[in-house]
Amino acid sequence: PSEVVEPAKWRPTPVSSALPVERRARSPVDRVRAEAAGMLTAVRGLVHFADLARPPSRSSLTGHLGHTRRWRPLQVPMADARSIAAALECTVNDLVLAAVSRGFRDLLRSRGEPLRPDTVRTLVPVSTRTIDERGRAGNRITMMVAELPVHLAAPAARVRAVHAQTARLKRSGEAQAGSVFGKLTGLLPGPVVSLGLADRIRIGVAVTSYDGSLFFGVTADADSTPDLAVFTAGLQTGLDELRQCGGQSNHQPEGTEL
């Protein structure tokens, strides 16, 4: 009979010490330091967050609401949005905020209202997932408060202003502050302070990406916003002019109002 050869004894391969920093297990001391740094960042963000408690400039965008709503959708190919954002060296979120700024700018101008930097505020979602939490299921999302540059006429100036503001907000720690603020308000019976963000808003824009497209949903109070078409046309114009700023040809697919 043939000789039976015993298989070599399996030994685990030592883990390389050259793993990326973000994949190495942090020591308890490192974790404490990271938590402390995160709390300091959150405190700085709370100071900035509190500054937004001041009332925004008065406009026809807030006020008494009726019982009926108007709704208009807009769809843009996601590849188109990414291409424009890359050409302008900004994020897709920056692109969206700049285009929405054009919509509000046109609406306010058509109503003969002043265009001020603090007239329109918006909530911007941002991930608070840490390096250690990458790859885990679930979302960790909070909000930052941004002011739309409706006072700027040039599309390139608007997108630059939005990009600079969102970068500044991320550095300020407002995202971490928003997370802390959300935890605190979840423990308290009722609102702590009004930020003038959701008080009788007459027009709002929701944006999401799905199946290769970027979808805008515009909801407005029917009684006070019979001119919703002015806003949606301005939003479309904002997207078109940013496409031109990015150097894309006119045959690129445009946003389609459904």
Side-chain angles (χ1 to χ4, degrees):
S2 60
E3 184 179 355
V4 177
V5 180
E6 291 290 337
K9 186 176 181 180
W10 178 83
R11 295 180 183 277
T13 302
V15 177
S16 170
S17 61
L19 284 173
V21 174
E22 64 268 19
R23 293 186 59 188
R24 297 178 190 169
R26 292 192 298 177
S27 69
V29 174
D30 289 337
R31 287 196 293 269
V32 170
R33 287 174 178 170
E35 289 291 336
M39 288 301 297
L40 287 174
T41 302
V43 169
R44 290 196 301 267
L46 281 171
V47 173
H48 185 271
F49 203 78
D51 182 55
L52 290 169
R54 71 186 190 284
S57 295
R58 295 183 62 86
S59 74
S60 60
L61 300 177
T62 59
H64 176 74
L65 300 177
H67 298 290
T68 56
R69 301 290 180 266
R70 301 177 189 270
W71 184 75
R72 294 290 185 276
L74 192 72
Q75 179 180 348
V76 178
M78 192 64 188
D80 192 17
R82 288 197 179 105
S83 178
I84 300 170
L88 296 174
E89 298 182 343
C90 67
T91 67
V92 171
N93 277 359
D94 295 336
L95 186 78
V96 166
L97 293 177
V100 171
S101 298
R102 173 61 192 260
F104 279 115
R105 175 182 170 83
D106 285 5
L107 184 63
L108 291 169
R109 287 189 66 193
S110 71
R111 295 176 176 180
E113 299 185 40
L115 303 172
R116 300 188 178 96
D118 64 342
T119 300
V120 186
R121 291 177 182 166
T122 183
L123 287 173
V124 182
V126 61
S127 173
T128 58
R129 189 185 299 277
T130 65
I131 291 176
D132 292 340
E133 295 168 332
R134 288 180 181 174
R136 295 183 185 178
N139 292 321
R140 292 195 61 184
I141 302 294
T142 186
M143 295 289 180
M144 297 189 305
V145 182
E147 293 176 332
L148 300 184
V150 296
H151 61 295
L152 299 178
R158 281 197 299 272
V159 76
R160 284 196 300 267
V162 166
H163 183 67
Q165 182 180 187
T166 54
R168 184 172 65 253
L169 290 174
K170 290 174 183 177
R171 292 193 302 268
S172 75
E174 188 178 308
Q176 291 87 339
S179 181
V180 172
F181 187 78
K183 292 176 183 177
L184 291 175
T185 54
L187 299 175
L188 297 174
V192 178
V193 63
S194 172
L195 296 178
L197 290 167
D199 183 20
R200 300 176 298 164
I201 288 178
R202 289 174 167 173
I203 183 168
V205 184
V207 186
T208 189
S209 58
Y210 176 74
D211 194 26
S213 291
L214 196 61
F215 294 92
F216 294 76
V218 184
T219 305
D221 176 60
D223 294 343
S224 60
T225 318
D227 50 356
L228 180 58
V230 175
F231 175 85
T232 54
L235 174 57
Q236 178 65 73
T237 300
L239 292 168
D240 292 341
E241 62 189 6
L242 289 171
R243 180 182 294 109
Q244 293 174 4
C245 288
Q248 294 198 1
S249 61
N250 292 331
H251 71 272
Q252 289 284 341
E254 299 183 354
T256 304
E257 190 170 354
L258 304 177

